Amino acid sequence: MPLKISILYGSVRTERLGIKAARWLTEVITTKGHEAKLIDPLEYNLPLLDKRFKEFELGLAPTNLTELSNIFRAADAFVIVSGEYNHSVPPALKNLIDHFNAPEFEYRPVAIVTYSNGSFGGIRPTEHLREIMSDLGAVTIPAIMPIPNIQDVFDADGKLLDAKYTERADKLLNQLEWYATALKEQRGKGLPS
């Protein structure tokens, strides 16, 4: 069953490397027959959080927030691609997520992909993201995909150089598909009260 999957990317740095992983995963998801939408905070230019989407009167939210809310509410699943900043989540990613609340994320699965230019693959934000997404009613899947030494995994044009990540992405996305299909079926029957 084709799914709608939103890929949330978290960096706005000038020489960001993780965007290559986010774009590659978007292609992989599309190749698997799903609809993939990459959410790049640079393209949506969100201000630092002042008002969450739900705090605006109906029809008065900024266009970019309304567009993102519609994308998220239509999504069957999410993939978060996060670097590690001071052992935690990049501020642009946290800001993106914080603009929304449970209706955009609840009862949907989330896969977490982390990266770094060091040997640990940016793994530390995983636990923070699990807590954040759980508070929003999402379900983080057990599988994760850290990408250490990301500068050696993709070339300058974003082409994958290390074939082992194809197998890792398949494992991650197979689990995400399972959760997304099950949760979509249950959402179709109605949400718990």
Side-chain angles (χ1 to χ4, degrees):
M1 166 191 336
L3 299 166
K4 291 183 178 181
I5 301 175
S6 291
I7 300 92
L8 280 61
Y9 178 61
S11 177
V12 294
R13 294 177 68 175
T14 306
E15 296 185 24
R16 56 198 187 147
L17 296 174
I19 192 67
K20 295 174 184 179
R23 289 176 178 148
W24 174 71
L25 284 164
T26 302
E27 290 176 20
V28 171
I29 291 167
T30 302
T31 301
K32 289 175 78 65
H34 304 299
E35 182 181 324
K37 174 69 175 164
L38 176 58
I39 306 299
D40 182 347
L42 271 181
E43 292 178 16
Y44 286 91
N45 196 29
L46 296 177
L48 290 176
L49 181 63
D50 178 37
K51 286 175 81 171
R52 296 175 97 178
F53 178 73
K54 71 175 187 170
E55 295 169 338
F56 287 93
E57 288 185 43
L58 188 62
L60 296 182
T63 305
N64 55 355
L65 286 182
T66 302
E67 180 182 345
L68 285 170
S69 177
N70 291 336
I71 291 168
F72 294 165
R73 287 173 189 245
D76 297 309
F78 296 90
V79 175
I80 296 177
V81 180
S82 176
E84 178 180 330
Y85 292 17
N86 298 322
H87 292 218
S88 192
V89 179
L93 177 59
K94 184 71 165 75
N95 189 56
L96 169 66
I97 294 168
D98 283 348
H99 272 87
F100 301 96
N101 205 356
E104 283 79 16
F105 298 106
E106 64 186 354
Y107 303 107
R108 290 169 179 83
V110 178
I112 298 172
V113 177
T114 60
Y115 63 91
S116 72
N117 61 0
S119 59
F120 293 110
I123 197 75
R124 292 181 186 107
T126 300
E127 292 308 311
H128 297 176
L129 286 165
R130 287 189 190 280
E131 292 173 11
I132 293 163
M133 298 315 293
S134 176
D135 190 57
L136 293 170
V139 178
T140 56
I141 66 171
I144 60 171
M145 192 173 107
I147 306 173
N149 303 306
I150 194 168
Q151 68 278 6
D152 301 326
V153 176
F154 298 94
D155 70 13
D157 297 321
K159 181 182 176 199
L160 184 68
L161 298 174
D162 191 337
K164 71 183 173 202
Y165 286 99
T166 301
E167 184 179 324
R168 290 179 184 177
D170 281 343
K171 178 181 177 184
L172 182 84
L173 294 174
N174 287 342
Q175 197 174 98
L176 183 67
E177 289 169 341
W178 187 92
Y179 276 86
T181 302
L183 288 169
K184 182 176 184 175
E185 182 180 324
Q186 287 303 115
R187 283 195 316 274
K189 296 176 182 177
L191 299 178
S193 52

